[in-house]
Amino acid sequence: MEGNKRLASLDALRGFDMLFIMGFSHLVRSICNLFPDGADCYLAKTMKHVPWDGLYHHDTIFPLFLFIAGISFPFSYAKHLSNGKSRASMYGKILRRTVLLVLLGLVYNGFFKLDFDSLRVCSVLARIGLAWGLAAVLFLQFSTRVRVWISVLILLGYWLLICFIPAPDAAGASALSMEGNLVGYVDRLMTPGRLYYGNFDPEGLLSTLPAVVTAMLGMFTGEFVRRTDVPERKKSGYMGLAALVLLGVGLLWSLSFPINKSLWSSSFVLVVGSYSLAMFALFYEIIDVRGYQKWAFPFIVIGLNSVTIYLAQRIIPFDEISGFFLNGAASMLSEEWAKVLLDIGYLAISWLFLYFLYRKKTFLKI
């Protein structure tokens, strides 16, 4: 495999990840509701975020996307250099992408309402931009070995900060609670506008630091895949073993620093890093190594325009379009089955929108 060849597995995995944001998680919950007590079953619950400590599938979507963005960078950087562009010019590209993602995050949060007092500055897109951007700068500045040690120091330092320094303005509250953690305190002190939970934001400033390591784990993976001294047939196996190591360390660490997406705890970084690496190894082995690609086409269509669909669902009323075509049929069904039908319609309309862009070769590149 050529060192700068585009990985079909990356686009497919990104599309699989975004499928849940695109409406599949709602569909799964609607199907669960067809059964007695289905709304309370584990499968339905795992399609939502865990309230605080713990891990559901829905908590893996965001870090997996950031991990994938990290994998892409060594390839895009190699392509950048092969096109005759300088290493220094890459810094400008990183800065532009970071700023654009922060701005798009503001748009997603309602910038054009012009209600700046209640505008939420923190966002998913801003965290992706900042965490990926910082990880990319570290990639350009330091060797792989040094970056490994930087990752370790970030996770250890973050653990010490969060576990042993409670918020000064929440006397008596646990340092690991929503009320008493240092992450929320920093945002209450420094972040303008509205925080997601009023006194705490899951995409806050301080918790962006360990998210940098999530992007760096992806970059380590991208570097490994580009290596030519490791046989292609062995790479997935090595990644699987590395995923087991991350999982073991993360679970052990969770005994003192619980797995927590809202805090982006160090144990969360490792456990979800394990999941992300294992999923990539699986997709890479099936699609890029063994060459089975046709089955992944629906995912690739999504993955090539992932940011587009994330923003479009905020702007385009796909639910109303689905209702326009399906409300008549839904009215003949029970409430539970009607919800399933409309959710299928929503998912289908969203995918067809992306397929139209795919056929027109229109992609939002950031």
Side-chain angles (χ1 to χ4, degrees), residues 41-64:
C41 74
Y42 177 77
L43 182 58
K45 288 181 178 179
T46 201
M47 292 294 113
K48 299 179 181 179
H49 292 297
V50 73
W52 191 245
D53 291 340
L55 187 69
Y56 285 159
H57 176 268
H58 218 58
D59 300 309
T60 68
I61 296 172
F62 184 6
L64 174 55

Side-chain angles (χ1 to χ4, degrees), residues 274-289:
S274 168
Y275 166 80
S276 301
L277 183 55
M279 288 296 294
F280 172 68
L282 177 63
F283 274 62
Y284 177 75
E285 176 68 24
I286 295 173
I287 295 173
D288 289 312
V289 177

Side-chain angles (χ1 to χ4, degrees), residues 108-324:
Y108 184 90
N109 285 348
F111 177 85
F112 290 111
K113 293 179 181 178
L114 304 182
D115 182 6
F116 301 122
D117 289 336
S118 62
L119 176 66
R120 181 173 171 242
V121 175
C122 302
S123 69
V124 168
L125 292 176
R127 169 154 295 181
I128 292 171
L130 292 169
W132 174 88
L134 289 169
V137 169
L138 291 172
F139 182 95
L140 296 182
Q141 287 288 334
F142 300 105
S143 68
T144 302
R145 185 184 299 274
V146 172
R147 282 183 282 117
V148 168
W149 282 110
I150 290 173
S151 300
V152 171
L153 290 174
I154 288 174
L155 294 182
L156 287 172
Y158 187 69
W159 167 57
L160 294 173
L161 276 175
I162 302 305
C163 288
F164 299 104
I165 305 178
D169 63 350
S174 167
L176 294 175
S177 67
M178 182 180 288
E179 298 78 15
N181 69 81
L182 193 63
V183 172
Y185 174 72
V186 169
D187 285 327
R188 291 192 293 274
L189 200 64
M190 300 180 61
T191 305
R194 178 179 64 87
L195 302 182
Y196 191 82
Y197 291 114
N199 66 340
F200 176 83
D201 201 295
E203 279 80 52
L205 292 173
L206 186 57
S207 55
T208 298
L209 194 60
V212 173
V213 180
T214 298
M216 291 173 75
L217 288 175
M219 291 178 187
F220 294 140
T221 303
E223 288 178 277
F224 175 74
V225 172
R226 291 192 69 249
R227 287 178 57 172
T228 57
D229 59 331
V230 180
E232 291 297 320
R233 66 182 184 276
K234 292 185 177 181
K235 287 180 180 178
S236 299
Y238 287 143
M239 286 189 282
L241 289 174
L244 288 175
V245 172
L246 288 176
L247 178 63
V249 176
L251 290 176
L252 284 173
W253 206 341
S254 71
L255 298 176
S256 63
F257 195 5
I259 298 168
N260 187 302
K261 176 188 175 293
S262 294
L263 292 175
W264 214 280
S265 63
S266 301
S267 58
F268 173 80
V269 171
L270 296 180
V271 170
V272 180
S274 168
Y275 166 80
S276 301
L277 183 55
M279 288 296 294
F280 172 68
L282 177 63
F283 274 62
Y284 177 75
E285 176 68 24
I286 295 173
I287 295 173
D288 289 312
V289 177
R290 303 196 181 190
Y292 301 121
Q293 295 191 10
K294 291 183 179 179
W295 67 275
F297 176 74
F299 297 139
I300 291 174
V301 169
I302 301 170
L304 287 171
N305 256 319
S306 53
V307 176
T308 302
I309 193 59
Y310 183 76
L311 291 169
Q313 289 187 118
R314 188 72 165 175
I315 301 168
I316 301 173
F318 290 115
D319 54 342
E320 294 182 15
I321 299 172
S322 174
F324 177 83

